[in-house]
Amino acid sequence: SAVISQKPSRDICQRGTSLTIQCQVDSQVTMMFWYRQQPGQSLTLIATANQGSEATYESGFVIDKFPISRPNLTFSTLTVSNMSPEDSSIYLCSVPEGDSYNEQFFGPGTRLTVL
Amino acid sequence: AQTVTQSQPEMSVQEAETVTLSCTYDTSESDYYLFWYKQPPSRQMILVIRQEAYKQQNATENRFSVNFQKAAKSFSLKISDSQLGDAAMYFCAYRSGGDYKLSFGAGTTVTVRA
């Protein structure tokens, strides 16, 4: 499977600031996904990062709050803007792999705490 | 959107024993995939097992096996010969055949007693 890395692994931020999370894959992938996992909760899809086009956001998530870049087929960033304590979560990127992309693998996650 | 339900918030199992985690899902599609993911305290999401809806045979990966009941829309995970390293949160996930987005259940925390 592809090796997926994320930076930073964790951060503590002040409310009102922004944080950019990076996701790097060691192979070219068509799609990358960004998920949020709030404390003690399940994973919720934020958006699909498409190379060469705008990201596709899920209901409840907007580009102004979570701008995404996808400059090439191995890299994506997710920015959490104007943060509030409610944004404290683990943010994970993932890529589909395997035959017909039937499996999906995740990065190690970024644990964000907003004070 | 598809709904994935895990009705057991927590399960406890004695080391070397067997535990079964339940998962039900709601869909009107015929082409889909189901997954079980493990998330240990390290928070890394690890794919445990995958089941294609068109396959009648239940998937097996070493000590992990599923009971896929398509008509009942049920997808349970059996962990045999439980080990201390199996302690983690387990998530059931659904993916439509025409898409790659995953819908996750709420998760089940598995504790293994030595």
Side-chain angles (χ1 to χ4, degrees), chain A residues 9-10 31 33 35 37 42-43 45 58 90 100-104 106-109, chain B residues 33 35 37 39 41-45 47 50 52 91 95 100-102 104-106:
Chain A
S9 61
R10 61 178 62 221
M31 287 171 286
F33 299 98
Y35 289 83
Q37 186 178 23
S42 185
L43 283 75
L45 181 65
E58 298 300 305
I90 298 170
S100 302
Y101 298 124
N102 285 337
E103 297 180 350
Q104 194 161 137
F106 287 80
Chain B
Y33 299 82
F35 306 87
Y37 281 88
Q39 188 179 41
S42 68
R43 76 176 179 262
Q44 175 73 57
M45 291 287 286
L47 178 62
R50 171 190 107 200
E52 293 87 341
F91 292 99
R95 197 207 100 193
Y100 298 99
K101 300 182 289 188
L102 293 175
F104 286 89

Side-chain angles (χ1 to χ4, degrees), chain A residues 6-114:
Chain A
Q6 287 185 233
K7 290 181 180 180
S9 61
R10 61 178 62 221
D11 207 342
I12 301 173
C13 301
Q14 296 297 318
R15 67 173 66 209
T17 62
S18 298
L19 176 72
T20 295
I21 302 167
Q22 300 178 4
C23 179
Q24 179 77 52
V25 187
D26 69 344
S27 59
Q28 293 186 339
V29 293
T30 305
M31 287 171 286
M32 296 176 76
F33 299 98
W34 286 99
Y35 289 83
R36 181 178 74 180
Q37 186 178 23
Q38 294 177 300
Q41 303 296 313
S42 185
L43 283 75
T44 301
L45 181 65
I46 298 172
T48 304
N50 306 303
Q51 198 273 329
S53 64
E54 291 279 336
T56 305
Y57 289 84
E58 298 300 305
S59 176
F61 297 96
V62 295
I63 187 171
D64 290 345
K65 176 66 176 178
F66 297 101
I68 287 171
S69 77
R70 183 85 197 275
N72 56 54
L73 291 174
T74 64
F75 186 80
S76 177
T77 67
L78 169 75
T79 298
V80 186
S81 303
N82 188 24
M83 290 184 285
S84 67
E86 292 70 37
D87 294 319
S88 297
S89 297
I90 298 170
Y91 292 86
L92 303 102
C93 65
S94 73
V95 299
E97 278 199 59
D99 49 305
S100 302
Y101 298 124
N102 285 337
E103 297 180 350
Q104 194 161 137
F105 295 93
F106 287 80
T110 295
R111 182 183 294 274
L112 170 62
T113 301
V114 184

Side-chain angles (χ1 to χ4, degrees), chain B residues 83-98:
Chain B
Q83 302 176 358
L84 295 177
D86 295 332
M89 177 81 89
Y90 286 81
F91 292 99
C92 179
Y94 170 100
R95 197 207 100 193
S96 167

